Amino acid sequence: MKNIALLGATGSIGKSTLSVIDLHRDQFNVFALSANTNWQQMVKLCNKYQPNFAVMRDEASALELQNALDNDTQVLSGVEALCKIAAHEQTDYVMAAIVGAAGMASSLAAAKAGKRIMLANKESLVLAGDIFIEAVKNSGAELIPVDSEHSAIFQCLQSGKSGLSKIQLTASGGPFLHTPISGLQSITPDEACAHPNWSMGRKISVDSATMMNKGLEVIEAYYLFALKPEQIDVVIHPQSIVHSSVYYDDGSTLSQLGNPDMRSVISYAMAYPNRISAGVAPLDLANNPPLEFYTPDLDKFACLGLAFDALKQGGSAMGTINAANEIAVDAFLNHQIKFLDIPNIIEKTLSQTQHTTLCDLDAIIANDQSAREIATQIVKQHA
Ligand SMILES: NC(=O)c1ccc[n+]([C@@H]2O[C@H](COP(=O)([O-])OP(=O)(O)OC[C@H]3O[C@@H](n4cnc5c(N)ncnc54)[C@H](OP(=O)(O)O)[C@@H]3O)[C@@H](O)[C@H]2O)c1
């Protein structure tokens, strides 16, 4: 029986994780659950799964949860409590599924404590890639990606990296793949969040529509698979059936395919190196629509180009674009700025932020804060 600490239990990945656990209650125990403010949903989850710990990032929400529960679950609050359950000696696996930079501290705590980290929170690698990977190596932690593209590459690379020439991440192109740039100015948050293939949280849905999600994934892949930036390629594949590919010097290409459903990826991370059922229907290739592939248009999807540039710059640039993107997406979701302002705000923040080498977590957090402040000022000028 493996004890799972599920960070971000009320989110899209959190729900999919619980539905896989439901199929295998004899193998996985919900040891700890966390959320930010959604204590009402946490009441339901705590009553169903009876975890040892429930952590709310927000203190007032923790009090509400505590008052609503009448079982033995210990309710805690704050970032330190998130780190505590991630590193707890009884925790075996940590599902790191908090959204945004807020997930970094707890995933890093799991990495330092030598856990199996099922990493959905790509921001941990975008902000603190070097420190994170070093912590994994030093502690002997297992790092298993919970992103469909990176899980695909991870699966393709099971026999090693000998003769590897490049990896190719697939991108759906989001809801505006065929919309001309002129049609993007008046996009609403609900239109941006209506992803054609994947059901996800609102922030990552907007990131998919701008293709910043793919940009963050390029950086994530750089750290996960220890590649050079020029070994990472992106191709648009609207059907989201081929999840990503690995190219070899001998002309061979290996790809991983499946229906677009995160439960496959989550179950793989939970059962690795074995495979278990995930409740996902198998592919029916003969009856599937034709598979299409296109080169991304970097004029239209400027965020993708910005992420590649930041990776090549290295140092603080990756954390800066992530922070600016979080501020810009939040402003877009709150109707303060327009869809096409998002890349402009990121670009301006990058040009106004001091570019440095980041040696420790304090420096990473300081850069994140300063980029957020600068981006917030720029948002005010656009609003
Ligand atoms: N959704 C996908 O299909 C998918 C695929 C690949 C990777 N990912 C990655 O997985 C992560 C989670 O994505 P998601 O779509 O599941 O997000 P989501 O649906 O928005 O859920 C986010 C979760 O994080 C919690 N949370 C939000 N802000 C927090 C904070 N400041 N401190 C602590 N917890 C906080 C939320 O709690 P409340 O409910 O209380 O707000 C919720 O449980 C992201 O990094 C995303 O890029 C997602």
Side-chain angles (χ1 to χ4, degrees):
M1 181 70 82
K2 296 294 181 191
N3 275 339
I4 297 190
L6 172 47
L7 310 181
T10 51
S12 166
I13 294 287
K15 283 176 197 151
S16 295
T17 304
L18 290 169
S19 77
V20 175
I21 291 174
D22 285 344
L23 298 174
H24 304 282
R25 292 288 283 268
D26 55 329
Q27 294 179 53
F28 302 104
N29 173 49
V30 177
F31 177 68
L33 294 171
S34 91
N36 186 19
T37 55
N38 190 349
W39 61 270
Q40 297 91 336
Q41 180 63 14
M42 282 289 276
V43 172
K44 291 183 195 155
L45 296 181
C46 289
N47 284 333
K48 177 169 177 187
Y49 294 100
Q50 308 274 323
N52 292 45
F53 294 97
V55 178
M56 302 303 298
R57 166 71 181 80
D58 174 60
E59 203 178 329
S61 306
L63 276 176
E64 298 278 10
L65 177 61
Q66 179 74 75
N67 291 337
L69 286 182
D70 58 1
N71 61 20
D72 290 337
T73 298
Q74 196 178 334
V75 179
L76 304 170
S77 70
V79 176
E80 275 179 23
L82 289 170
C83 295
K84 175 181 166 166
I85 57 169
H88 196 284
E89 61 179 8
Q90 284 176 267
T91 296
D92 297 305
Y93 295 175
V94 175
M95 171 57 80
I98 290 172
V99 65
M104 182 181 66
S106 47
S107 352
L108 194 56
K112 286 182 178 162
K115 304 299 180 190
R116 171 176 292 197
I117 310 148
M118 306 185 281
L119 190 68
N121 180 266
K122 59 196 76 171
E123 295 84 353
S124 296
L125 287 174
V126 173
L127 267 78
D130 289 325
I131 294 174
F132 196 92
I133 296 296
E134 200 186 324
V136 167
K137 280 184 188 153
N138 290 344
S139 69
E142 283 181 289
L143 180 55
I144 309 202
V146 177
D147 223 342
S148 59
E149 299 77 2
H150 304 77
S151 175
I153 304 285
F154 185 83
Q155 293 179 49
C156 291
L157 289 179
Q158 282 305 299
S159 56
K161 279 165 62 180
S162 167
L164 171 78
S165 59
K166 71 167 185 180
I167 65 165
Q168 188 173 54
L169 304 176
T170 48
S172 69
F176 311 129
L177 175 60
H178 299 298
T179 311
I181 299 185
S182 57
L184 295 182
Q185 193 56 26
S186 55
I187 292 300
T188 66
D190 283 346
E191 285 169 329
C193 289
H195 196 281
N197 306 337
W198 297 96
S199 160
M200 307 183 285
R202 281 173 81 78
K203 192 263 177 185
I204 185 176
S205 296
V206 176
D207 286 349
S208 292
T210 62
M211 284 194 74
M212 177 51 96
N213 183 48
K214 207 51 52 184
L216 298 178
E217 286 179 7
V218 166
I219 299 170
E220 184 185 9
Y222 166 82
Y223 284 111
L224 276 174
F225 305 115
L227 299 167
K228 298 182 186 122
E230 55 274 19
Q231 285 181 297
I232 308 170
D233 188 17
V234 172
V235 68
I236 291 186
H237 166 46
Q239 292 76 26
S240 300
I241 296 293
V242 175
H243 294 312
S244 279
S245 306
V246 176
Y247 288 67
Y248 292 95
D249 291 335
D250 63 3
S252 296
T253 302
L254 294 188
S255 304
Q256 185 260 340
L257 284 71
N259 280 317
D261 190 319
M262 287 304 290
R263 291 176 299 170
S264 296
V265 177
I266 291 165
S267 67
Y268 182 78
M270 284 166 55
Y272 177 81
N274 302 312
R275 289 185 187 264
I276 52 173
S277 60
V280 178
L283 269 185
D284 181 0
L285 280 175
N287 289 309
N288 226 69
L291 303 183
E292 301 161 284
F293 299 90
Y294 307 105
T295 302
D297 173 351
L298 293 185
D299 290 328
K300 183 164 144 186
F301 297 113
C303 287
L304 179 58
L306 287 169
F308 266 111
D309 291 347
L311 175 60
K312 284 172 195 152
Q313 279 184 52
S316 56
M318 294 173 277
T320 300
I321 61 157
N322 181 69
N325 182 56
E326 286 190 23
I327 295 292
V329 170
D330 192 55
F332 169 68
L333 286 171
N334 288 308
H335 303 272
Q336 289 169 271
I337 60 167
K338 295 200 180 302
F339 184 73
L340 287 178
D341 290 334
I342 297 173
N344 292 336
I345 286 163
I346 298 168
E347 197 169 8
K348 284 184 188 163
T349 306
L350 199 54
S351 69
Q352 291 178 30
T353 312
Q354 207 183 352
H355 181 68
T356 54
T357 309
L358 301 173
C359 306
D360 56 31
L361 202 53
D362 287 344
I364 289 166
I365 292 168
N367 179 65
D368 179 67
Q369 291 299 335
S370 120
R372 278 168 201 275
E373 282 161 22
I374 292 169
T376 303
Q377 289 307 319
I378 299 170
V379 162
K380 283 183 188 153
Q381 291 155 19
H382 280 256

